[in-house]
Amino acid sequence: QVQLVESGGGLVQAGGSLRLSCAASGRIFSSYVMGWFRQAPGKEREFVAAIKWSGGNPYYADSVKGRFTISRDNAKNTVYLQMNSLKPEDTAVYYCAAKPYGSSVYDTEGMAYWGKGTLVTVSS
């Protein structure tokens, strides 16, 4: 069983930056795919970024490519999402998720474990 706890959300002005953290408890194996998703008010949850616990190139949604960076610290069992050049449309609850035995970093359907989310609000 894996538990995920997000932190780092808050209020920021457009153009600003935030770094989200996702602390994982339990054993994370190299086969895990770790991801960030978000859900804006009145919208469906959408994929943001993913990375394999074993490393390799990350995967991003087109809407955040070039602005967001996902990374992981295996020693700390933590995944990060560095968000730069934030826009009001980035306002959402951001969720960390994990999938055991992901075939690749693109295998982001059916994430098995989810955190409770952290709210990011970007003011214009």
Side-chain angles (χ1 to χ4, degrees):
Q1 187 75 8
V2 171
Q3 292 185 326
L4 305 171
V5 179
E6 305 95 336
S7 62
L11 174 64
V12 63
Q13 288 188 332
S17 298
L18 279 176
R19 187 177 82 154
L20 305 183
S21 299
C22 170
S25 62
R27 184 75 180 273
I28 305 294
F29 295 95
S30 61
S31 62
Y32 270 66
V33 174
M34 306 298 294
W36 287 96
F37 294 74
R38 66 186 182 186
Q39 186 167 19
K43 295 188 177 181
E44 294 188 353
R45 188 166 57 194
E46 65 176 2
F47 167 76
V48 175
I51 192 168
K52 285 277 283 185
W53 196 251
S54 57
N57 291 329
Y59 169 46
Y60 298 98
D62 288 343
S63 58
V64 306
K65 202 172 295 182
R67 300 188 298 123
F68 290 11
T69 302
I70 187 171
S71 62
R72 86 266 185 261
D73 185 330
N74 292 30
K76 295 183 178 180
N77 255 26
T78 300
V79 178
Y80 302 98
L81 185 69
Q82 178 66 45
M83 305 185 296
N84 299 328
S85 302
L86 282 161
K87 305 175 181 179
E89 51 264 43
D90 294 318
T91 294
V93 177
Y94 283 71
Y95 297 92
C96 179
K99 180 175 185 177
Y101 308 112
S103 59
S104 76
V105 72
Y106 305 104
D107 187 9
T108 59
E109 294 292 325
M111 303 298 269
Y113 303 106
W114 292 86
K116 294 184 177 180
T118 185
L119 176 62
V120 172
T121 303
V122 184
S123 64
S124 56

